[in-house]
Amino acid sequence: IVKCFRDEDLRADRQPEFTQIDCEMAFITQEDILNIFEGLTHHLFKTVKGITLPTIPRMQYAAAMRLYGSDKPDIRFGMQFVELNDVVKGKGFSIFDNAELVVGINAKGCAEYTRKQIDELTEWLKRPQIG
């Protein structure tokens, strides 16, 4: 376990110092690394907090980008992108017709939102964020 200090420009989503676990390994595969650190995570939660974690989900990079548009997706809300090319292309709306990809997010329970509610959500999304 080592204390680290960033030697790069600070960003809002990064702290200047942090602690990390260094692990010296040789002749290993990605699967070896994932298994070791998932096992360590399970052990620490069980030993320190008495919490038994479920299996840690894995996602390939390509799937994360296709479904969430990010390599660090927030999967808590189940709001995956849905490809809409077949539905919207060729309908005479040039923005969609000329786009390589058109996706949407299913916002369950929001079909009855008023214009005012949608505008309020839009403003909320524009606020400064960390991350």
Side-chain angles (χ1 to χ4, degrees), residues 46-70:
K46 183 68 173 170
T47 303
V48 175
K49 299 291 286 180
I51 298 171
T52 301
L53 294 178
T55 301
I56 298 172
R58 295 184 186 179
M59 184 182 301
Q60 296 293 323
Y61 173 83
M65 295 304 292
R66 184 182 79 253
L67 297 173
Y68 298 95
S70 172

Side-chain angles (χ1 to χ4, degrees), residues 88-107:
V88 301
K89 293 236 181 206
K91 306 290 191 219
F93 188 53
S94 63
I95 292 174
F96 289 164
D97 289 341
N98 297 329
E100 181 178 334
L101 177 66
V102 179
V103 297
I105 297 173
N106 183 354

Side-chain angles (χ1 to χ4, degrees), residues 8-19:
E8 58 194 31
D9 289 340
L10 292 178
R11 294 185 355 200
D13 63 341
R14 293 190 177 164
Q15 54 195 39
E17 70 175 66
F18 58 96
T19 304

Side-chain angles (χ1 to χ4, degrees), residues 29-97:
T29 65
Q30 177 178 324
E31 191 66 22
D32 294 330
I33 293 170
L34 292 172
N35 287 332
I36 287 169
F37 284 97
E38 285 174 6
L40 176 62
T41 302
H42 280 94
H43 173 75
L44 288 173
F45 269 81
K46 183 68 173 170
T47 303
V48 175
K49 299 291 286 180
I51 298 171
T52 301
L53 294 178
T55 301
I56 298 172
R58 295 184 186 179
M59 184 182 301
Q60 296 293 323
Y61 173 83
M65 295 304 292
R66 184 182 79 253
L67 297 173
Y68 298 95
S70 172
D71 61 352
K72 51 183 186 303
D74 186 342
I75 61 175
R76 295 173 295 171
F77 308 107
M79 296 182 76
Q80 297 180 356
F81 290 165
V82 178
E83 187 175 324
L84 300 170
N85 284 356
D86 293 341
V87 178
V88 301
K89 293 236 181 206
K91 306 290 191 219
F93 188 53
S94 63
I95 292 174
F96 289 164
D97 289 341

